Amino acid sequence: KQAGGNIWVYSELNVGTTFKIYFPRLVEVPVTGPPAEERTVRGGTETILLVEDEEAVREIVRETLLGQGYAVIEARHGPEALVLAEKYAAEIHLLLTDVVMPAMSGPELASALAKSHAETRVLYMSGYTDGSVIRQGVLQDADHFLEKPFTQLDLAARVRSLLDASPRA
């Protein structure tokens, strides 16, 4: 309804159920820039700690990052990530974490990780919109947020952008 659509449901016992989904008509085509195949993103060799509780999402993100040349340490949840980070002596350049996870949220993980890896930048991802995540006080900065679903190109671009940004203050 927020986008101007509607869902109509009709159900009759022993007959069945009908769902009609109405989408708003697109009045004009949005300008999105060059086609994805024409855009490229420079990869890197930095180390990324990937924390995602959904295996399928974690697998796709891992493969995308490895394809860009990054070293990836992956964990299923915050406590596992902290154990892996503690054992990892070298620099962890970026924490890429889901916002909402069992046992420990992404912001809680970032705070705990900062104690031993203060240099680590953070990129949050979530199926919740950036507006709702920020309005509810879960995150403070929309620049460090990637809304699911995202394309591999969007992921690669956001990761590279954060890694190339000025050092944390």
Side-chain angles (χ1 to χ4, degrees), residues 6 13 22 25 32 37 44 61 78 118 121 123 139 147 149 160:
N6 202 350
L13 190 61
Y22 298 91
R25 182 179 298 241
T32 60
E37 61 274 1
V61 172
R121 297 166 189 268
L123 176 58
L139 298 180
E147 185 178 342
R160 188 71 259 157

Side-chain angles (χ1 to χ4, degrees), residues 29 95 98 157 166:
V29 178
L95 168 63
D98 196 355
S166 300

Side-chain angles (χ1 to χ4, degrees), residues 143-154:
D143 291 339
H144 297 264
F145 182 79
L146 185 59
E147 185 178 342
K148 295 178 190 173
F150 46 79
T151 67
Q152 291 176 322
L153 188 62
D154 289 340

Side-chain angles (χ1 to χ4, degrees), residues 8-169:
W8 178 84
V9 180
Y10 176 77
S11 184
E12 195 172 319
L13 190 61
N14 296 323
V15 175
T17 303
T18 302
F19 288 85
K20 291 187 179 181
I21 302 173
Y22 298 91
F23 294 100
R25 182 179 298 241
L26 182 62
V27 178
E28 58 183 67
V29 178
V31 177
T32 60
E37 61 274 1
E38 291 180 19
R39 296 179 6 204
T40 59
V41 176
R42 180 176 61 86
T45 58
E46 293 92 342
T47 300
I48 298 174
L49 176 56
L50 167 62
V51 188
E52 169 61 57
D53 57 317
E54 296 217 18
E55 185 177 354
V57 175
R58 190 173 64 248
E59 196 173 295
I60 290 169
V61 172
R62 179 191 66 232
E63 292 305 314
T64 299
L65 295 172
L66 289 173
Q68 289 286 311
Y70 298 108
V72 179
I73 304 167
E74 66 178 289
R76 295 167 296 174
H77 48 72
E80 181 181 36
L82 290 174
V83 168
L84 292 171
E86 186 177 308
K87 293 178 182 176
Y88 193 79
E91 182 176 0
I92 296 174
H93 299 89
L94 179 72
L95 168 63
L96 175 57
T97 182
D98 196 355
V99 173
V100 179
M101 295 182 293
M104 179 182 281
S105 73
E108 290 170 332
L109 169 60
S111 178
L113 183 65
K115 294 173 185 168
S116 60
H117 289 273
E119 77 286 353
T120 303
R121 297 166 189 268
V122 181
L123 176 58
Y124 297 100
M125 55 184 167
S126 178
Y128 298 101
T129 64
D130 59 352
S132 68
V133 170
I134 291 170
R135 269 195 311 276
Q136 293 177 20
V138 177
L139 298 180
Q140 304 302 318
D141 189 351
D143 291 339
H144 297 264
F145 182 79
L146 185 59
E147 185 178 342
K148 295 178 190 173
F150 46 79
T151 67
Q152 291 176 322
L153 188 62
D154 289 340
L155 170 64
R158 185 62 64 87
V159 165
R160 188 71 259 157
S161 173
L162 276 176
L163 290 171
D164 289 343
S166 300
R168 284 180 150 186

